[in-house]
Amino acid sequence: MMDIVGNRTVYSVLKEQVKKSPVKVFLYYENQEYTFEEMFRRVNQTANFLKRAGVKKGEKVSVLLDNCPEFYFIWFGCAAVGAVMVPINTASTCRELDYFFTHSDSVLVITDSKYDKQVAEVCNNVKSIKQVILLGGKDQEYNTNRNFHYLISSESAKEISQEVFPNDVCAMMYTSGTTAKPKG
């Protein structure tokens, strides 16, 4: 079996690719293109926001989003600071969200504004969650302390220097739970 990652982290692999091909397209999404360089800038801004928000290495960040580029900013941003991203299915019920947030001990939830009411209802009962961040929408003001794009816009795009190791956990995914409670 070939070891293509070696003794590297998710963040260090991204950083290497930025150096090799900064203007190569990393992601196509609808009518948008993100180069490796642009992706790295957004990832660093996201990571710096997570640090400023007090997210520490090993802490869980739940992500309840439809397909979007921000998912990658968050995933790589979490990996940069050593946080563990917990992706959650957007079809989850309030009862399932409560289980995922509680079981994972998530400290932060990042979601879309269309899931805000559902998440808010659940978060009132989950003591570990310190903050809920929204991607925003037509009904939400851009310049609020809950808007993801507003919060990362003023963050530095400098590379993150954090003690993260190749064997550190970077994501926690749950099973479907068809025969018992989902396992993370």
Side-chain angles (χ1 to χ4, degrees):
M1 182 174 181
M2 187 170 86
D3 183 5
I4 59 171
V5 176
N7 194 28
R8 301 178 294 173
T9 65
V10 170
Y11 182 72
S12 66
V13 171
L14 177 62
K15 188 166 39 173
E16 287 172 18
Q17 291 306 310
V18 171
K19 289 177 182 167
K20 287 181 191 173
S21 307
V23 295
K24 184 176 180 182
V25 177
F26 174 91
L27 177 69
Y28 293 97
Y29 178 76
E30 294 180 350
N31 62 350
Q32 301 168 315
E33 291 182 357
Y34 292 89
T35 64
F36 275 91
E37 192 170 57
E38 174 64 13
M39 182 59 62
F40 196 55
R41 185 177 72 75
R42 301 280 180 108
V43 165
N44 287 330
Q45 288 178 300
T46 302
N48 280 307
F49 160 72
L50 292 170
K51 283 176 65 173
R52 193 172 50 76
V55 176
K56 294 177 180 36
K57 182 178 177 179
E59 289 187 322
K60 316 304 186 304
V61 175
S62 284
V63 180
L64 180 71
L65 294 173
D66 295 322
N67 291 335
C68 62
E70 292 84 358
F71 181 88
Y72 292 98
F73 306 162
I74 297 161
W75 183 20
F76 286 100
C78 284
V81 299
V84 179
M85 185 188 73
V86 182
I88 297 177
N89 187 334
T90 57
S92 298
T93 65
C94 285
R95 187 176 184 181
E96 291 167 329
L97 290 176
D98 183 65
Y99 174 76
F100 295 137
F101 295 161
T102 303
H103 184 265
S104 68
D105 288 324
S106 289
V107 298
L108 179 72
V109 176
I110 303 175
T111 189
D112 191 272
S113 59
K114 68 181 170 183
Y115 304 112
D116 188 28
K117 284 184 183 177
Q118 183 180 6
V119 168
E121 181 181 320
V122 172
C123 286
N124 289 334
N125 301 322
V126 182
K127 298 189 182 359
S128 63
I129 295 176
K130 299 172 189 163
Q131 191 174 11
V132 176
I133 303 298
L134 303 176
L135 284 194
K138 295 176 184 134
D139 58 340
Q140 188 194 5
E141 299 245 351
Y142 173 77
N143 58 349
T144 71
N145 64 354
R146 293 186 65 210
N147 182 289
F148 177 79
H149 292 285
Y150 176 75
L151 291 166
I152 71 164
S153 68
S154 61
E155 293 294 341
S156 169
K158 288 184 180 179
E159 290 182 21
I160 301 300
S161 61
Q162 183 86 8
E163 290 221 356
V164 179
F165 303 101
N167 59 350
D168 289 340
V169 175
C170 84
M172 179 180 181
M173 297 175 204
Y174 280 86
T175 62
S176 63
T178 52
T179 59
K181 288 241 185 227
K183 292 159 195 67

